[in-house]
Amino acid sequence: MKHIDKIKNLVKENGYKLTPQRLATIEIILKNKDKHLTTEEIFTEVKKAYPNIGLATVYRTILLLDELKILTKHNFDDGKYRYELNDSSESHHHHHLICSKCSRVLEVEDLLTDLEEKIEKTYKFKITNHNLQFFGLCDRCIK
Amino acid sequence: MKHIDKIKNLVKENGYKLTPQRLATIEIILKNKDKHLTTEEIFTEVKKAYPNIGLATVYRTILLLDELKILTKHNFDDGKYRYELNDSSESHHHHHLICSKCSRVLEVEDLLTDLEEKIEKTYKFKITNHNLQFFGLCDRCIK
DNA sequence: ATCAATGCAAAGATTTTGCATCAAG
DNA sequence: CTTGATGCAAAATCTTTGCATTGAT
C-alpha cells in the first residue's frame, strides 16, 4: 500500500474525517518527506493548493498527525518546532547532526538500541521514544 | 575556587558587568543546581531577593549565561525552555530520562563518547555538543 | 441530519526590543 | 564619567481557542 493511503486509513480508522484541508496538508508533508518544515512553512505550501485554508487548521492537522504518530516533532533550538514524516516501517528512528554555522541538518542511522537496553535495566525506565541531536560543524563548514 | 567565583570571573573576563541583578540570578541558579527551571521560575525566585528586577533582565542574564556556556538550555517539549547549570568540570555531560506520565526528569551519565568518535569519522562532522533525551515511563509510573 | 471540522479573529504564552534612566567599572 | 545594564511597556513570535458556519459521513 502506498504511504499516503496508509496515512489516510490511519486518520479514518481513528474516527477523524478526511477533509480536503487535511488531505492537502498530508500531501505537502509527503512531498517534503526529507525536510524539516515548520508549521508556517507547511501552511505556506498548502495555501498554494488550497488557498482558503486557515493557519489554525494546519496547526490542528499537525497536532492530529502527531497524535497518530504519523509525524515527529523536532526542536532544533531555533524557537519553532519542525515536523518530519515518520517512516512507514514503524521502527525506523534516526538522529540529527545540526550544523551551528549553516543550520544544515544531516541524518544519522539509529545507534541507540544497545544503549536503551542498558538504560532500561539500570534505571528501570521503560523507554518509548528518544531524541538525539549532535550540534557542531558539518563537513562544508569545517573548511 | 568556588563555583560561584568561577562564574563571576567568567562574566567579568568577558567584559560584562557584575551587577547585583546578575549576581542574584546566578545565586538562584546555583541554589537550584539539580533542577531544570524555566525563566519564569528563575524570575519568581530572584524577585524574592531582589524585588525590583524585571523579567527582561532575567531573560537577558540567562542569554548571557548561555553564551558563556555557564548553563545549558533544555527543551522537554512542554513549550518552554528550561535551564541547568553546567558542571564546572568542563567535560561533564549527561542525558535525561523524561517520564511521560509524571514529568519527572532523571539524569543518566554520558554514554556517547564512543559514538561521537564514530560519527565524527563517518560524517566528517565536528561535534561540539549533543542532546540526548529518552521519553517513557519511570519506575514509579510503571507500576 | 449530525457532529466534527473549518476559518477567522481574538486571546494566550513566551520571548525580544526600544528607550529613558541608572550605576558598575 | 562613560558606556553598558536595567525596568518598564510595547511589540514580536508562535500557538491555542471561541464561535458561528460549513461540509464529510
Side-chain angles (χ1 to χ4, degrees), chain A residues 114-129:
Chain A
D114 295 349
L115 255 185
E116 288 198 349
E117 271 180 43
K118 208 187 292 180
I119 289 172
E120 293 205 333
K121 263 186 209 154
T122 313
Y123 295 87
K124 302 192 197 319
F125 187 94
K126 177 64 195 156
I127 295 170
T128 54
N129 203 359

Side-chain angles (χ1 to χ4, degrees), chain B residues 17-18 20 55-56 59-60 80-81:
Chain B
K17 290 175 183 167
L18 199 55
L55 179 56
Y59 268 101
R60 284 185 280 228
K80 43 201 147 208
Y81 285 108

Side-chain angles (χ1 to χ4, degrees), chain A residues 93-111:
Chain A
H93 281 267
H94 60 262
H95 316 309
H96 291 115
L97 308 182
I98 303 153
C99 182
S100 311
K101 198 158 188 183
C102 70
S103 300
R104 194 154 61 111
V105 177
L106 302 163
E107 307 204 338
V108 183
E109 53 171 336
D110 191 348
L111 302 156

Side-chain angles (χ1 to χ4, degrees), chain B residues 11 14 16-17 22 58-71:
Chain B
V11 173
N14 283 277
Y16 298 107
K17 290 175 183 167
R22 285 181 178 162
V58 175
Y59 268 101
R60 284 185 280 228
T61 301
I62 288 172
L63 203 69
L64 174 67
L65 298 177
D66 194 16
E67 262 172 42
L68 299 179
K69 299 195 192 294
I70 288 165
L71 43 72

Side-chain angles (χ1 to χ4, degrees), chain A residues 76-77 96-106 108 132-143, chain B residues 69 93 116 119-120 123-131:
Chain A
F76 296 149
D77 264 17
H96 291 115
L97 308 182
I98 303 153
C99 182
S100 311
K101 198 158 188 183
C102 70
S103 300
R104 194 154 61 111
V105 177
L106 302 163
V108 183
L132 175 53
Q133 305 173 322
F134 295 96
F135 297 91
L137 290 175
C138 71
D139 53 346
R140 294 186 205 154
C141 291
I142 283 173
K143 292 171 200 168
Chain B
K69 299 195 192 294
H93 280 268
E116 289 197 349
I119 289 172
E120 293 205 334
Y123 295 87
K124 303 192 196 320
F125 186 94
K126 176 67 193 152
I127 295 170
T128 55
N129 203 358
H130 65 234
N131 170 31

Side-chain angles (χ1 to χ4, degrees), chain A:
Chain A
M1 194 176 6
K2 281 168 68 184
H3 199 170
I4 191 157
D5 295 320
K6 282 192 196 170
I7 298 174
K8 284 189 199 172
N9 285 347
L10 261 172
V11 172
K12 286 197 273 189
E13 280 162 18
N14 283 275
Y16 298 108
K17 289 175 184 166
L18 199 56
T19 64
Q21 289 93 333
R22 285 181 177 161
L23 211 47
T25 306
I26 291 169
E27 271 162 7
I28 288 305
I29 294 174
L30 260 167
K31 197 192 278 180
N32 295 279
K33 220 191 251 297
D34 45 338
K35 305 250 184 63
H36 304 91
L37 301 181
T38 63
T39 308
E40 198 73 39
E41 287 165 345
I42 294 171
F43 174 60
T44 305
E45 285 308 305
V46 175
K47 251 191 167 291
K48 291 180 188 164
Y50 200 102
N52 258 19
I53 199 169
L55 178 56
T57 301
V58 175
Y59 268 100
R60 285 185 279 228
T61 301
I62 289 173
L63 202 69
L64 174 67
L65 297 177
D66 193 15
E67 263 171 41
L68 299 180
K69 301 196 189 293
I70 289 165
L71 41 71
T72 300
K73 180 159 96 172
H74 291 294
N75 185 303
F76 296 149
D77 264 17
D78 59 351
K80 42 202 146 206
Y81 286 107
R82 295 172 172 279
Y83 297 89
E84 179 174 29
L85 194 66
N86 288 338
D87 202 275
S88 31
S89 59
E90 281 294 323
S91 61
H92 180 259
H93 281 267
H94 60 262
H95 316 309
H96 291 115
L97 308 182
I98 303 153
C99 182
S100 311
K101 198 158 188 183
C102 70
S103 300
R104 194 154 61 111
V105 177
L106 302 163
E107 307 204 338
V108 183
E109 53 171 336
D110 191 348
L111 302 156
L112 293 181
T113 318
D114 295 349
L115 255 185
E116 288 198 349
E117 271 180 43
K118 208 187 292 180
I119 289 172
E120 293 205 333
K121 263 186 209 154
T122 313
Y123 295 87
K124 302 192 197 319
F125 187 94
K126 177 64 195 156
I127 295 170
T128 54
N129 203 359
H130 65 236
N131 171 31
L132 175 53
Q133 305 173 322
F134 295 96
F135 297 91
L137 290 175
C138 71
D139 53 346
R140 294 186 205 154
C141 291
I142 283 173
K143 292 171 200 168

